[in-house]
Amino acid sequence: MGHKSSSNGTPATAALAAAGVPFVLHPYAHDPSAASYGTEAAGALGIAPETVFKTLMVEVEGRLAVGVVPVSGNLDLKAFAAALGARKASMADPAAAERRTGYVLGGISPLGQRQSSPTVVDSSALNLGTMLVSGGKRGLDVELAPADLIRLTSAVTAAIGTRTP
């Protein structure tokens, strides 16, 4: 940890610190031309992609919700809707996602959102000792225990991630 660690502070890291949850920051050099933020993070950090999760904002029957899935796959919208007792879901409008969370796309963390939304974490996280999610800005991931993420976001878990071959 260098002397610049305070500049990494985000609402997500503040929420973790306030909750007294152990976490590790993983900053990396973000390449604006990278096709996918999540796989970029996994590659830049040299971490197995199944432990790195992306945070997706989803619209479910007119309300916003949060999906947390491994970067190695995609979000199964049908399964996501079902996990929240709804019939269908669609990806949220990016501007609405940014307004709701207070984060920019590519830096949306499930933690410390401006307004919290129902959250679903892919059940594959339960098999992991620790997982990485966005720390609240591009180029910053935070590593924590899945149980802590689930508790802090009041999340439900369900098989909402699709595996890409």
Side-chain angles (χ1 to χ4, degrees), residues 49-126:
E50 57 273 16
T51 67
V52 181
F53 285 65
K54 54 190 170 187
T55 303
L56 302 169
M57 296 303 292
V58 185
E59 190 175 315
V60 181
E61 294 175 356
R63 298 176 309 134
L64 285 185
V66 183
V68 182
V69 294
V71 299
S72 49
N74 291 305
L75 178 66
D76 178 338
L77 287 166
K78 261 204 180 85
F80 183 85
L84 292 175
R87 278 202 304 282
K88 64 190 218 358
S90 57
M91 296 309 295
D93 171 67
E98 292 188 338
R99 272 197 308 276
R100 174 86 184 197
T101 62
Y103 294 122
V104 297
L105 287 184
I108 293 181
S109 176
L111 297 155
Q113 295 192 359
R114 183 178 288 155
Q115 280 180 283
S116 62
S117 300
T119 301
V120 185
V121 174
D122 183 62
S123 48
S124 69
L126 300 172

